[in-house]
Amino acid sequence: MALSVTVCSLVFHPAAWNGGWDWVIPLLAVSLLSMAVGFADDFIKAVKKRHEGLTPWQKIAGQVIVAVGFSVYCYFCPSVGSKVVIPFVHAEWDLGLFYIPLMSLLVIFIVNSSNLQDGLDGLLSTVNTVSGSAWSMIALLMMLGCAGASAEASSYGTIGVFALSMTGACVAFLRFNRYPAKIFMGDTGSMFIGGANVAVAMLTRQPFLLLFMFAMPVVSSLSVIIQRYYFKLTHGKRIFKMSPLHHHFELSGYSETQIVSMYAGITVILSLIAILATVQ
């Protein structure tokens, strides 16, 4: 998946390279470096036979380096900066220096949310197929709205090609990853997808739309957090039969294909809302 996205993004780069601020390199860098953390974890589990993989602190340390580095890049990038778009109201919110820590936390949260979502056959691949299609549409709309600014339009075109590459890779992967899965994504693939989604959201200055199109992975993380703290506060009681939430549905009698279909349907609806927010 990562190889096909990288090759397609480079080969079908839509225009002349824009120098230091060309977005194809940071898009691939965040995705591949996030993947590298996941690969290290998978490698230790599979090859070194250490079931726990990377320690939580080792994993977080790697993610912090990627997150802070990319947030600093975006902060100083002339076409990104510290402002984020507030959907539906045509307003921008200037986070100032708080942009770097807040966006760093967002990167870490989304990458780990993507990892938690990868718990059923074809689940994350299907959700990302929908979100990738939506990101490509949003990139196209933003490119059309550039009013002749060729460099900016080229940047959004780069994002569109990258998002379509992600979509195509996930569709191809689903041939082997759908139920019953023959190939599994692991931390390597899931963190690549998380890094890709958050990179697109930050470069388009649309982190709030990420909460629509990547809502189901976010729900997975929230369900784990809620379950953990509720368990501690009530000394052993649980809200969900199991977290992340898709396992709760599984233990409630839903089949894997039903859960995947439900998550995909919700993602389609929320992605359409995100696209409409861009059109307005």
Side-chain angles (χ1 to χ4, degrees), residues 1-2 4-5 122-133 162-178 185 189-190 192-194 196-197 214:
M1 180 187 296
S4 63
V5 173
L123 182 57
L124 180 58
S125 301
T126 301
V127 167
N128 192 64
T129 295
V130 177
S131 65
S133 301
F162 179 79
L164 284 175
S165 300
M166 282 290 299
T167 303
C170 283
V171 170
F173 188 69
L174 273 170
R175 179 181 177 185
F176 306 99
N177 186 237
R178 71 179 188 272
M185 187 175 294
S190 63
F192 176 85
I193 288 175
N197 275 271
F214 223 53

Side-chain angles (χ1 to χ4, degrees), residues 41-250:
D41 192 48
D42 286 338
F43 181 83
I44 291 171
K45 291 176 182 175
V47 179
K48 298 296 184 181
K49 305 300 181 183
R50 283 167 44 192
H51 179 70
E52 69 278 5
L54 291 174
T55 67
W57 285 112
Q58 287 173 329
K59 191 178 292 187
I60 287 295
Q63 292 174 348
V64 166
I65 293 171
V66 177
V68 173
F70 184 59
S71 298
V72 169
Y73 167 85
C74 289
Y75 181 81
F76 287 105
C77 179
S79 50
V80 183
S82 60
K83 294 180 180 179
V84 297
V85 176
I86 302 175
F88 303 107
V89 296
H90 300 285
E92 294 181 342
W93 183 11
D94 192 346
L95 299 174
L97 282 174
F98 289 103
Y99 178 91
I100 294 174
L102 289 174
M103 291 301 106
S104 297
L105 289 173
L106 179 67
V107 173
I108 295 168
F109 179 72
I110 292 299
V111 169
N112 284 301
S113 296
S114 180
N115 187 29
L116 288 171
Q117 181 83 106
D118 183 35
L120 298 178
D121 293 351
L123 182 57
L124 180 58
S125 301
T126 301
V127 167
N128 192 64
T129 295
V130 177
S131 65
S133 301
W135 278 126
S136 64
M137 180 62 68
I138 288 171
L140 174 62
L141 292 170
M142 296 180 78
M143 182 176 66
L144 294 174
C146 286
S150 58
E152 190 177 4
S154 174
S155 295
Y156 289 126
T158 297
I159 288 178
V161 168
F162 179 79
L164 284 175
S165 300
M166 282 290 299
T167 303
C170 283
V171 170
F173 188 69
L174 273 170
R175 179 181 177 185
F176 306 99
N177 186 237
R178 71 179 188 272
Y179 181 84
K182 299 180 181 67
I183 298 177
F184 299 95
M185 187 175 294
D187 289 4
T188 304
S190 63
M191 290 188 179
F192 176 85
I193 288 175
N197 275 271
V198 75
V200 170
M202 288 172 62
L203 289 175
T204 56
R205 300 191 298 125
Q206 298 281 4
F208 288 107
L209 292 187
L210 181 64
L211 301 180
F212 284 84
M213 291 180 288
F214 223 53
M216 302 319 294
V218 169
V219 166
S220 293
S221 274
L222 292 177
S223 67
V224 171
I225 295 169
I226 292 169
Q227 182 88 318
R228 181 171 298 173
Y229 281 98
Y230 187 80
F231 184 86
K232 289 182 178 179
L233 289 171
T234 59
H235 304 289
K237 293 183 180 179
R238 291 177 171 85
I239 293 180
F240 309 111
K241 294 180 179 180
M242 187 177 177
S243 63
L245 187 61
H246 48 265
H247 291 311
H248 168 82
F249 290 127
E250 192 176 18

Side-chain angles (χ1 to χ4, degrees), residues 255-268:
S255 68
E256 291 193 39
T257 53
Q258 287 175 322
I259 297 169
V260 171
S261 298
M262 176 175 62
Y263 274 46
I266 294 171
T267 305
V268 167

